Amino acid sequence: IRLKEAERVSKMLDFDYRFLERSDGQVSREEEVLAADLATILEEFNPEVLFAPFPGDHHRDHQASAAATALAIERSRFSGEVWAYEVWSTMWPNVVVDIHEVWEEKKAAICCYESQQGEKYAEAIHGLNRYRAFTAKLALAEAYFVCSASEYCALGQELSRL
């Protein structure tokens, strides 16, 4: 179901993707394999910026994805910037980006994920984007924790000790 939802979003937003099929709720058991896959992708694409889940997210799969990303960064020697984003729980952002012009497109993309309660989630995210915009005096904003690759890895290691 999620693969079909992702395909729909990629067509809507006109981007390519790779679906690294992992079992819901079981990503922590597959961190090593996921890290190897992500390291290969990082080496292949050699991006300057990497978007990844914030390591302190409260969802187990999101934490495992962040941990696998940190391992992949170390293995691939990626040295660019990491823009960590919020998924299931809030974080302490250091950058906000004005998204008011793309909100409707973002909402439509979120709503494609019907298996994840897309419309309800879109409502919640709209509230979060309004909240994130408040202190920046914007209408809607996306929040990120932007850091170096090594800082992302260190943050992940520190949070995993807690």
Side-chain angles (χ1 to χ4, degrees):
I1 292 171
R2 288 234 197 122
L3 179 57
K4 288 180 182 177
E5 291 168 341
E7 287 173 358
R8 190 169 152 205
V9 171
S10 75
K11 288 177 184 167
M12 177 189 299
L13 300 179
D14 192 30
F15 68 87
D16 292 327
Y17 71 98
R18 282 190 205 168
F19 203 83
L20 303 177
E21 298 181 42
R22 300 292 178 252
S23 303
D24 283 350
Q26 305 299 314
V27 177
S28 61
R29 294 182 178 163
E30 302 177 44
E31 272 180 36
E32 284 293 325
V33 175
L34 181 57
D37 289 346
L38 291 172
T40 299
I41 292 168
L42 283 174
E43 289 171 356
E44 182 181 327
F45 286 98
N46 194 28
E48 293 178 19
V49 175
L50 176 64
F51 288 84
F54 185 71
D57 193 288
H58 291 125
H59 189 285
R60 186 169 82 180
D61 281 352
H62 303 166
Q63 288 174 356
S65 295
T69 300
L71 283 173
I73 287 170
E74 291 171 355
R75 292 175 183 171
S76 68
R77 294 183 295 281
F78 170 77
S79 61
E81 240 179 20
V82 179
W83 286 52
Y85 53 83
E86 300 170 303
V87 184
W88 193 245
S89 50
T90 58
M91 61 174 182
W92 53 88
N94 58 6
V95 171
V96 294
V97 175
D98 184 350
I99 63 163
H100 83 277
E101 290 185 17
V102 296
W103 166 251
E104 290 302 324
E105 190 174 27
K106 178 181 176 177
K107 179 182 176 184
I110 291 170
C111 288
C112 286
Y113 290 94
E114 294 171 11
S115 70
Q116 304 303 299
Q117 300 182 359
E119 287 190 37
K120 285 184 181 181
Y121 190 73
E123 283 179 38
I125 292 302
H126 187 257
L128 179 61
N129 292 155
R130 288 181 62 193
Y131 173 73
R132 291 300 187 198
F134 186 74
T135 57
K137 296 183 171 65
L138 298 169
L140 293 167
E142 190 77 46
Y144 297 93
F145 182 80
V146 179
C147 59
S148 69
S150 61
E151 289 170 325
Y152 183 83
C153 294
L155 176 62
Q157 290 170 357
E158 189 62 32
L159 289 173
S160 71
R161 285 181 232 181
L162 299 178

